[in-house]
Amino acid sequence: MTVPTLTLNSGRTMPQLGLGMWQASNEETEAAVTAALGSGYRLIDTAQVYANEEGVGRALAATTVPREELFITTKLWNADQGYDEALAAFDASMERLGLETLDLYLIHWPLGDAERRLATWRALVALQEQGRVASIGVSNFYPSQIQELVDATGVVPALNQIELHPHFPQWVARAFHNDLGIVTQSWSPLGGSTGGLWEKRGKPNSLLTDPVIAEIAEAHGKSPAQVLIRWHLQNGLAVIPKSVDPERIAQNIDVMDFRLTGGDLERIAAISTGERFGLDPYENV
Ligand code: A2P
C-alpha cells in the first residue's frame, strides 16, 4: 500500500495518511498500532493527554519496521506549557514512547495565556535545534495565534492539526496555512468517535451515516469511511482516522485504488454544515 507523502517546512517528508489514537487505552493502542504497521501504516499519532504513549511504545519496540520508516507524532498537553515544563514533558513522552528522536512534536492546544504559548513554542524550537525532534508544529491554533509565534520567533510551525471534515471544512484556516507553507492535518476526519466524547456532548457522528457519502461510496464500491478519507487526501490534507478494529484499520488505508470525481467533490462540498463536533479552541479545556 503506497501512501502519498507531504513535505514539511523542515524538509522532512510525512505520510499523508496515518493512524490516530485518541480515546484508546494502552492495550487497545498497542494492538491497533501493531495491526496498522502490518497493514502498511507508517505514521502514528498519539499525545501525552491520550495516556497511551506507552501502548505506542510497546508496539514500536516489537515491530520489525525500521525506525527510519516510521513517523511518530506526539503532543504536549496544557498543564506542561511553559519553557522548562515543555522540555521536561518532552523527555517524559520520549521515555514512554521508548524513542531517541521524535518526528513531529505539537503544542496540543492554544492556552489563553499568550506569553505561555510563546514560551512553549520557544522550547519546541530549542528541541528542534538540538535535533531531538525533526519537525515542530501546533494543534487547534487559530491563524492569529500562529502568526504570533511566527512574529516572535521567525519559526513557522510545520503543521497545524485541527478538526476538519466535510461538515466543517475550515476554508479560512487552510488558506492561511497554504500561504505560510503549513501542512493542515485533519482530526476527527470521519466525524469523530462513536460512543466517544463528542457523542456524549450530544454531537454523534453524522458523517459516516450521511446519505450523500453513502451514495458516493456505493457508486465506487467503497465504504463511507473510505470516501471520507479520499476526500481528505484529494484536498491535499494530512489525515489520521482513528480505529482500534484491525479490519477497519486495514480498510482505511485501502483507499489508493479509486478517486472521487469532480462531481463527487462538489456533492460533498454541499453537505458542509459549518458545525464542529468537537470543542472550539477558544474554549478552555
Ligand atoms: P473504531 O475505533 O471502533 O473503529 P475519527 O473521525 O475521530 O477518526 O473517528 C473514527 C470513528 O469511526 C471511531 O469511532 C472508529 O471506531 C470509527 N471508524 C473508524 N474507521 C471506520 C470504518 N472504516 N468504518 C466505520 N467506522 C469506522
Side-chain angles (χ1 to χ4, degrees), residues 197-210:
L197 187 58
W198 306 149
E199 191 164 325
K200 291 188 186 111
R201 287 167 59 96
K203 301 245 183 105
N205 187 319
S206 51
L207 267 179
L208 284 167
T209 52
D210 185 286

Side-chain angles (χ1 to χ4, degrees), residues 42-222:
R42 292 295 177 263
L43 185 151
I44 308 296
D45 179 276
T46 181
Q48 179 184 351
V49 76
Y50 299 170
N52 58 24
E53 289 172 315
E54 282 174 18
V56 173
R58 288 203 290 266
L60 297 183
T63 186
T64 54
V65 177
R67 173 68 185 93
E68 60 272 19
E69 284 186 25
L70 297 168
F71 191 103
I72 310 300
T73 305
T74 194
K75 316 183 192 80
L76 173 82
W77 190 238
N78 297 349
D80 289 311
Q81 286 213 30
Y83 191 88
D84 292 333
E85 295 88 339
L87 295 181
F90 178 81
D91 286 342
S93 281
M94 296 298 276
E95 183 81 26
R96 286 187 292 270
L97 289 165
L99 295 177
E100 291 293 316
T101 58
L102 187 68
D103 300 285
L104 179 64
Y105 198 38
L106 305 179
I107 304 177
H108 204 145
W109 201 269
L111 278 185
D113 179 343
E115 283 304 309
R116 221 161 133 215
R117 283 202 300 267
L118 189 54
T120 309
W121 183 241
R122 290 192 199 282
L124 266 62
V125 171
L127 289 167
Q128 188 181 31
E129 282 169 359
Q130 291 162 17
R132 301 205 60 205
V133 54
S135 306
I136 54 175
V138 294
S139 183
N140 301 300
F141 273 51
Y142 274 105
S144 61
Q145 295 166 331
I146 292 179
Q147 192 63 54
E148 279 171 14
L149 303 182
V150 176
D151 290 345
T153 64
V155 181
V156 180
L159 175 148
N160 189 16
Q161 184 185 116
I162 53 178
E163 177 175 354
L164 202 163
H165 42 71
H167 279 175
F168 193 62
Q170 295 261 29
W171 292 110
V172 173
R174 283 157 67 184
F176 175 81
H177 297 163
N178 286 345
D179 283 348
L180 270 73
I182 298 170
V183 167
T184 306
Q185 192 173 46
S186 309
W187 65 250
S188 278
L190 308 178
S193 290
T194 32
L197 187 58
W198 306 149
E199 191 164 325
K200 291 188 186 111
R201 287 167 59 96
K203 301 245 183 105
N205 187 319
S206 51
L207 267 179
L208 284 167
T209 52
D210 185 286
V212 170
I213 302 292
E215 274 178 33
I216 295 171
E218 199 176 328
H220 288 279
K222 289 284 181 176

Side-chain angles (χ1 to χ4, degrees), residues 188-194 205 208 223 225 240-245 248 251-252:
S188 278
L190 308 178
S193 290
T194 32
N205 187 319
L208 284 167
S223 73
I240 44 168
K242 175 259 174 185
S243 181
V244 292
D245 178 274
R248 290 196 283 271
Q251 184 195 114
N252 293 349

Side-chain angles (χ1 to χ4, degrees), residues 217-250:
E218 199 176 328
H220 288 279
K222 289 284 181 176
S223 73
Q226 289 171 315
V227 166
L228 291 167
I229 292 165
R230 278 272 3 143
W231 179 86
H232 291 275
L233 296 177
Q234 288 182 224
N235 274 285
L237 302 161
V239 60
I240 44 168
K242 175 259 174 185
S243 181
V244 292
D245 178 274
E247 279 180 19
R248 290 196 283 271
I249 288 171

